[in-house]
Amino acid sequence: MDGPDFSKGLVPAVAQDHETGEVLMLAYMNEESWRETLRTGHATYWTRSRQKLWRKGEESGNFQEVVDVLIDCDRDTIVLKIRQHGGAACHKGYRSCFFRRLVDDQWVVDDEPVFDPDAVYRKQDL
Amino acid sequence: MDGPDFSKGLVPAVAQDHETGEVLMLAYMNEESWRETLRTGHATYWTRSRQKLWRKGEESGNFQEVVDVLIDCDRDTIVLKIRQHGGAACHKGYRSCFFRRLVDDQWVVDDEPVFDPDAVYRKQDL
């Protein structure tokens, strides 16, 4: 099986709730994180800010069980259909990172947080 | 309203069917395409391969009417909930660019094409 095309760099991966279709987050993968995702069945990304492998949920418990993997026509974007454990994908405590929507030229928060980030993450990791 | 953060470069935009939640494609935006998207109400991207503004559907007629705009926690990813005109987002003629999914270590085409790309695009634009 040919994997995603990493020749142009990191590949964006969209994590989508496998039941509701809600887009929960977008993160990036390098080849190592792609292989780890397939090997473990848990979404594994590459963090651009920390420049390391990111086993999503390793600290918070909010890991993502991979149900289905889709690839796009150009093989440079992935969709992961996932089962979100812990109820929240977003490090700010929301179910989805896309908790704001545009209404009359203003961003409006459109969801309630599931957890308090201060209680879940160590201060130095925020 | 603060727009997306373009300071790190292009921002990925996920186009999602506003009714079914299906992820149809991912493309990139620069500031100009973001402004054009808001101004026109039609998804407008920046093509990395052709390095120009890309008014999606301009040639094929498969334009995307923007129904809702979401932004993520880091303000560096957009979700556009759209109404896909012409029935297909993918230049290969499929409804979604994500028409292949991983089954037993093989990519399997999981959809039927809506149109024949050869009949829609001029050869030189493919």
Side-chain angles (χ1 to χ4, degrees), chain B residues 37-69:
Chain B
T37 298
L38 296 190
R39 190 182 69 79
T40 62
H42 290 183
T44 307
Y45 305 105
W46 175 260
T47 107
R48 296 184 301 172
S49 55
R50 288 180 281 161
Q51 289 283 308
K52 63 174 199 173
L53 206 70
W54 171 24
R55 297 178 192 279
K56 169 73 183 159
E58 194 170 36
E59 187 181 352
S60 64
N62 296 337
F63 71 94
Q64 300 176 333
E65 189 185 336
V66 176
V67 176
D68 227 340
V69 180

Side-chain angles (χ1 to χ4, degrees), chain A residues 1-2 16 72 100 105 107, chain B residues 1-2 21 72 100 105 107:
Chain A
M1 175 265 300
D2 292 332
Q16 186 182 28
D72 79 335
R100 285 175 297 198
D105 215 36
W107 296 111
Chain B
M1 177 263 301
D2 292 331
D72 79 335
R100 285 174 298 199
D105 215 36
W107 296 111

Side-chain angles (χ1 to χ4, degrees), chain B residues 2-116:
Chain B
D2 292 331
D5 174 10
F6 294 104
S7 67
K8 286 177 282 185
L10 299 173
V11 161
V14 177
Q16 185 182 29
D17 185 287
H18 80 110
E19 280 183 342
T20 66
E22 188 178 21
V23 174
L24 300 179
M25 60 180 279
L26 179 144
Y28 293 86
M29 287 190 178
N30 63 0
E31 194 152 3
E32 185 187 3
S33 59
W34 164 251
R35 282 198 308 259
E36 277 298 285
T37 298
L38 296 190
R39 190 182 69 79
T40 62
H42 290 183
T44 307
Y45 305 105
W46 175 260
T47 107
R48 296 184 301 172
S49 55
R50 288 180 281 161
Q51 289 283 308
K52 63 174 199 173
L53 206 70
W54 171 24
R55 297 178 192 279
K56 169 73 183 159
E58 194 170 36
E59 187 181 352
S60 64
N62 296 337
F63 71 94
Q64 300 176 333
E65 189 185 336
V66 176
V67 176
D68 227 340
V69 180
L70 313 180
I71 196 166
D72 79 335
C73 46
D74 296 327
R75 310 181 82 93
D76 60 6
T77 308
I78 294 293
V79 166
L80 299 178
K81 298 203 176 183
I82 56 129
R83 187 173 290 121
Q84 177 66 56
H85 289 253
C90 183
H91 74 290
K92 294 202 170 173
Y94 292 91
R95 195 174 66 234
S96 164
C97 292
F98 299 91
F99 56 85
R100 285 174 298 199
R101 68 189 191 94
L102 200 56
V103 180
D104 297 335
D105 215 36
Q106 296 290 327
W107 296 111
V108 174
V109 174
D110 207 19
D111 204 1
E112 296 290 324
V114 174
F115 69 78
D116 171 10

Side-chain angles (χ1 to χ4, degrees), chain A residues 6 9-13 25-37 42-56 80:
Chain A
F6 293 104
L10 299 174
V11 161
M25 60 181 277
L26 179 145
Y28 293 85
M29 286 190 178
N30 63 0
E31 194 152 3
E32 185 186 4
S33 59
W34 164 251
R35 282 200 307 262
E36 277 299 284
T37 297
H42 290 183
T44 307
Y45 306 104
W46 175 260
T47 107
R48 297 184 300 172
S49 56
R50 287 180 281 162
Q51 290 282 307
K52 63 174 200 173
L53 206 70
W54 171 24
R55 298 180 192 279
K56 170 71 184 162
L80 298 177

Side-chain angles (χ1 to χ4, degrees), chain A residues 13-29:
Chain A
V14 178
Q16 186 182 28
D17 185 287
H18 80 110
E19 280 183 342
T20 66
E22 187 178 22
V23 174
L24 299 179
M25 60 181 277
L26 179 145
Y28 293 85
M29 286 190 178

